[in-house]
Amino acid sequence: MLRYCTSLFLLLVAVVAYAQEDKTIDLNPKDTLVYKQPYGLRVGIDLSRPITSFFDDNYTGLEFVGDYRLSQKLYLAGELGNEKKTRTETVGENQIDTGDGELYTFTASGSYIKLGVDYNTYGNWYGEQNMITVGGRYAFSSFSQTVNNYNIYESNRYWNPTGFTPGALPEREFKGRTASWIEGVVGMKMELFHNLYLGGSIRLGILITNPDKESTAFRNLFIPGFNKVTDGSRFGVGYNYSITYLVPLYKKRKKQEEATETDTEERP
């Protein structure tokens, strides 16, 4: 009996010793909480164009904006809009209100589309969905320009010192005009409420094609979606302020940030 008890005691001691040798203490426990980010289509409108249309009788515009999330940082983005703007060109800026020195008044009207990508550079905290983005667009516009009225420029001001001689032809419309350009975009989006975002962007465009630039009849002076066109320059500047809503389609697990060198070093 004593031999049996002694053998059982030694067996228990061996089992406990093996268990203690196999047990290790993890000094860096991993977070088991899994956070999934929403992926889907975000759509909305540009607020600046309706506001400008309300206060400026010479402008009407509307732009729809949207993006679709491709990965944790990359988004497919685009804009679709329409603009109509009437402008008056004068010899001197101080003569716009008086009408003296007025050369011509024209109206540009048309639609445009912009497609490209945005890359989110902002590192969100847990649960945040804010964005600070850099990206680019390829844009195309189809539009018309109408000369509403014009005056004949005269360098000799002796006979008509306060104005120019009105042109005799009625208003003339130039249809079927097109232009294309690329844009560099810097923007941001902030989540105001669940899935509702307020955003803004600044855009620098460079004209690629402008077929009617050298037209002797009437050149393109305003391109919808691009803005004002000036002599000797291919650059245009634009902006927007958007309100958008995210339609979540599915969720994906957030990728872990890459470990730093100190985290990958072997610990003693």
Side-chain angles (χ1 to χ4, degrees):
M1 182 70 179
L2 179 62
R3 180 181 301 176
Y4 175 78
C5 291
T6 302
S7 301
L8 181 61
F9 176 76
L10 292 175
L11 179 62
L12 291 175
V13 170
V15 171
V16 171
Y18 176 78
Q20 290 294 332
E21 290 178 359
D22 186 63
K23 183 178 180 181
T24 58
I25 299 176
D26 188 359
L27 298 178
N28 298 285
K30 296 181 180 180
D31 187 3
T32 58
L33 182 62
V34 176
Y35 173 60
K36 292 186 177 181
Q37 295 179 318
Y39 283 66
L41 179 65
R42 180 165 32 207
V43 292
I45 64 170
D46 170 27
L47 298 174
S48 65
R49 284 169 170 79
I51 293 175
T52 303
S53 301
F54 181 80
F55 289 102
D56 188 354
D57 294 335
N58 294 321
Y59 177 84
T60 303
L62 180 65
E63 180 179 278
F64 296 98
V65 301
D67 63 58
Y68 182 81
R69 192 171 191 175
L70 299 175
S71 66
Q72 185 167 323
K73 296 286 188 179
L74 191 63
Y75 295 76
L76 178 66
E79 294 83 26
L80 176 67
N82 182 277
E83 285 187 311
K84 180 179 181 181
K85 185 176 180 63
T86 299
R87 284 184 52 196
T88 298
E89 297 292 334
T90 63
V91 175
E93 293 295 333
N94 61 338
Q95 297 170 324
I96 293 178
D97 295 331
T98 64
D100 295 339
E102 183 177 300
L103 295 178
Y104 52 86
T105 300
F106 74 96
T107 300
S109 177
S111 303
Y112 59 91
I113 185 171
K114 304 178 182 181
L115 293 174
V117 294
D118 285 333
Y119 182 81
N120 186 16
T121 63
Y122 183 74
N124 286 294
W125 290 5
Y126 178 84
E128 284 187 339
Q129 294 296 324
N130 300 322
M131 301 172 62
I132 298 178
T133 60
V134 294
R137 304 282 191 277
Y138 173 79
F140 177 83
S141 179
S142 176
F143 58 99
S144 65
Q145 291 197 120
T146 301
V147 181
N148 302 316
N149 55 69
Y150 69 96
N151 295 322
I152 300 174
Y153 178 79
E154 298 173 299
S155 59
N156 186 349
R157 311 298 294 154
Y158 180 79
W159 298 107
N160 194 7
T162 59
F164 296 121
T165 304
L169 295 177
E171 66 179 32
R172 181 179 177 186
E173 184 178 9
F174 300 88
K175 298 181 179 180
R177 297 205 165 180
T178 60
S180 65
W181 64 96
I182 56 174
E183 286 184 349
V185 184
V186 178
M188 62 171 292
K189 286 185 178 70
M190 178 178 63
E191 189 173 20
L192 297 178
F193 305 102
H194 184 60
N195 292 338
L196 185 66
Y197 294 80
L198 179 67
S201 67
I202 301 174
R203 298 150 183 271
L204 176 63
I206 305 176
L207 279 172
I208 300 177
T209 62
N210 186 17
D212 296 295
K213 180 179 179 181
E214 303 300 331
S215 173
T216 57
F218 194 77
R219 293 178 299 160
N220 295 332
L221 300 177
F222 183 90
I223 299 175
F226 180 81
N227 215 328
K228 182 180 178 180
V229 181
T230 57
D231 291 334
S233 177
R234 297 167 54 203
F235 294 92
V237 178
Y239 65 91
N240 71 3
Y241 299 101
S242 63
I243 185 79
T244 54
Y245 182 79
L246 173 65
V247 181
L249 301 178
Y250 61 95
K251 292 185 177 182
K252 289 179 62 175
R253 181 174 180 176
K254 182 179 180 180
K255 295 181 180 180
Q256 295 182 353
E257 300 293 336
E258 294 182 0
T260 59
E261 294 183 0
T262 55
D263 292 335
T264 57
E265 292 179 355
E266 295 184 359
R267 303 180 184 274

